[in-house]
Amino acid sequence: MTDIMIDLETVDTKESAMILSIGAVPFNPDEPAMDAESFDMYLSDSFLMSLDLSTQAGRTVSNDTIMWWMNQDARAQAAMDGTIQLYDALVALIDFIKDYKGENIWANSPSFDLRILEHAFKQYGLTTPWVFYNEQDVRTLSKCVFPEGKPSAPFAGQMIAHRADHDCVYQCWLVQEAMDVIQKGRGE
């Protein structure tokens, strides 16, 4: 089984938020933390869909979140120009998770990304492709292992913050780095 990291970019913080983009990356949390050369390799296996907001009837927008987006890097703002319908992206995400036999689903934090996705799956009559007890939390793991703050990835200069697939790769690295610290602490 492969674990899957998921990241969303949205225009609200409620579970009913309109979704700008969905990113997902398959990874093994027990592998050594990736290096700068691995960044593109992880991206090549990633899932990224930028969605058309005009097709998301019944989903919500927050003015505060829109204003926050206006202060982000223009390359990240490109997610606002999506053309894919939410239903199609959700079906593709289900297929992606099935193709990789994703069991553990990670997010930073599941109470945000995964709740929004679950709400969207339900809205469109789709079955959520994971069960609650396989949800894993990057934020909790990183705060426990790195109480002084998240470390910087060796590929930080290659990343576009708030681009869903890039955020996924960073979060995969963070999990791998944390697991490496835990294993070294156990003498493994």
Side-chain angles (χ1 to χ4, degrees), residues 63-93:
N63 288 335
D64 289 343
T65 307
I66 295 290
M67 295 307 296
W68 178 87
W69 270 107
M70 294 302 114
N71 292 315
Q72 302 310 307
D73 186 298
R75 296 171 302 166
Q77 289 179 14
M80 294 183 162
D81 298 328
T83 59
I84 298 167
Q85 292 191 24
L86 177 56
Y87 177 83
D88 295 336
L90 294 172
V91 170
L93 179 62

Side-chain angles (χ1 to χ4, degrees), residues 154-169:
F155 49 81
Q158 298 168 263
M159 290 181 49
I160 300 171
H162 308 299
R163 182 174 146 162
D165 58 341
H166 287 213
D167 287 353
C168 279
V169 172

Side-chain angles (χ1 to χ4, degrees), residues 70 92 100 109 114 129 146 152 155 161:
M70 294 302 114
Y100 278 99
S109 149
L114 302 186
F146 307 113
S152 180
F155 49 81

Side-chain angles (χ1 to χ4, degrees), residues 137-150 174 178:
D137 190 340
V138 176
R139 182 173 291 132
T140 300
L141 176 65
S142 67
K143 283 187 176 186
C144 289
V145 176
F146 307 113
E148 69 287 347
K150 294 178 184 176
L174 191 58

Side-chain angles (χ1 to χ4, degrees), residues 17-39:
M18 284 188 172
I19 301 171
L20 289 170
S21 60
I22 303 171
V25 173
F27 77 111
N28 181 341
D30 296 319
E31 286 182 355
M34 65 185 90
D35 56 20
E37 290 76 39
S38 302
F39 182 74

